Amino acid sequence: MTDRRSTTSLAGQVVAPVARRVVLVTGLSGAGKASTLRVLEDLGYEAVDNAPLALIGELVGRGEQPIAIGVDARSRGFGAAAVLASLALLKSNPAMRAELVFVTAEQGALLRRFTETRRRHPLAPRGRVMDGIAAEWALLAPLRDAADMVLDTSFMPLSMLRREVEQRFSPGGEDSATGMTVSLMSFAYPAGLPPDADLVFDARFLRNPHYDPILRPLAGTDAAVAAYVAADPDYLGFLEKMTSLLTLLLPRFVQEGKKYVGIAIGCTGGRHRSVAVVEDLERRLSQERQGAVAWRVTVTHREVMREQAGG
């Protein structure tokens, strides 16, 4: 790998070298790795897909342009341990600013995509797609745990995927590479728990806007719905206790080197109470992150996104 030496400005001052951004993109087949690489390419990254792991050092050791490299089960020499070893080597080099992005999706979404495209799963070319998904998840689980950024595209339109990637990796975008991503998700219990949730909270005890005919068609992002939910006498205590618990846990997660934590809040329909709570909690946690310990908060409203995507 090249050693980027510092340069001297016209005023004679030593200018610190600019670390080359290196993004390794991996994840489940059909989840959107190719789309993620295309967004990075549009941002000015040199994009290389399915590169042999043995060549990663050579690829990143030449040139000044930021680079995005897709690695998955198709890559020669692929294995979770090998990817993590390559990542650790990149991160130990001060001339590199390396990150691992893991792109995932729920099994139902992956099955639907393989059915629509009539593609075979690379790990089950002659078997069932769901068997390939299970095998790949077992193979990639250590990478999901070590990822600097996790993108769940189950119900994420391409425009939202692009926005998430641009926010983190575009020049002048949010500099959150050294922090932890806190993913807040609202969901409906009848539709199942989010598979990537580390912590789950139940908001079904709060007063339900569903029974108000004026509020029923609206979502929890609407001010009237949020006010209705917040008027519950136990709402404020619930939010304060949950915030207090999370502000105790999150700094410890950062100290342990955790890069991603999923927090899911559910209600019956996933449109009103859980959405309102997530929006309020996002504001509180974003304020807390201004302290000594940094984390970045993202918000996903799963059921609302499903409706927008047509089911």
Side-chain angles (χ1 to χ4, degrees), residues 174-182 247 250-251 254 282-298:
E174 183 173 354
D175 187 4
S176 56
T178 59
M180 178 177 67
T181 298
V182 179
T247 52
L250 295 181
V254 172
E282 187 275 334
R283 287 188 289 271
R284 291 166 179 259
L285 292 182
S286 294
Q287 292 172 357
E288 291 289 340
R289 73 177 289 274
Q290 296 174 5
V293 180
W295 53 72
R296 171 175 174 261
V297 184
T298 66

Side-chain angles (χ1 to χ4, degrees), residues 29 73-74 111 114 118-137 139:
S29 300
R74 302 167 300 153
L111 287 171
F114 274 99
R118 298 185 179 181
R119 292 172 51 208
R120 295 179 177 180
H121 196 282
L123 294 190
R126 294 178 177 82
R128 299 186 305 170
V129 170
M130 63 188 308
D131 293 335
I133 294 172
E136 191 171 41
W137 178 250
L139 176 66

Side-chain angles (χ1 to χ4, degrees), residues 60-165:
V60 303
R62 61 191 186 200
E64 301 290 324
Q65 184 181 358
I67 184 170
I69 303 173
V71 291
D72 55 36
R74 302 167 300 153
S75 302
R76 189 184 313 164
F78 182 85
V83 174
L84 292 176
S86 297
L87 180 66
L89 186 62
L90 292 170
K91 288 191 172 185
S92 69
N93 188 338
M96 305 293 169
R97 179 178 168 187
E99 297 178 73
L100 177 64
V101 175
F102 190 92
V103 189
T104 185
E106 296 178 6
Q107 179 177 281
L110 294 174
L111 287 171
R112 183 175 65 252
R113 292 170 189 174
F114 274 99
T115 299
E116 290 173 350
T117 60
R118 298 185 179 181
R119 292 172 51 208
R120 295 179 177 180
H121 196 282
L123 294 190
R126 294 178 177 82
R128 299 186 305 170
V129 170
M130 63 188 308
D131 293 335
I133 294 172
E136 191 171 41
W137 178 250
L139 176 66
L140 300 182
L143 299 181
R144 157 64 176 79
D145 295 338
D148 297 287
M149 182 182 194
V150 177
L151 287 168
D152 187 336
T153 67
S154 302
F155 305 98
M156 182 184 288
L158 182 58
S159 59
M160 180 173 289
L161 173 65
R162 175 173 291 277
R163 185 167 67 247
E164 289 290 314
V165 175

Side-chain angles (χ1 to χ4, degrees), residues 187-190 202-204 265-275:
F187 73 97
Y189 273 96
D202 191 340
R204 288 176 292 186
I265 300 172
C267 62
T268 305
R271 297 187 66 254
H272 297 122
R273 292 167 291 181
S274 59
V275 172

Side-chain angles (χ1 to χ4, degrees), residues 33-53:
K33 299 189 302 296
S35 296
T36 303
L37 281 172
R38 282 194 292 270
V39 175
L40 288 167
E41 188 173 28
D42 290 344
L43 292 174
Y45 285 69
E46 178 185 352
V48 181
D49 193 14
N50 195 21
L53 289 183

Side-chain angles (χ1 to χ4, degrees), residues 145 178-183 197-199 201 245-263 293-295:
D145 295 338
T178 59
M180 178 177 67
T181 298
V182 179
S183 173
D198 297 295
L199 300 168
F201 297 92
L245 173 63
L246 293 175
T247 52
L248 168 68
L249 295 177
L250 295 181
R252 295 300 302 269
F253 289 161
V254 172
Q255 291 174 17
E256 292 297 319
K258 195 172 178 65
K259 294 297 185 180
Y260 175 91
V261 59
I263 301 170
V293 180
W295 53 72

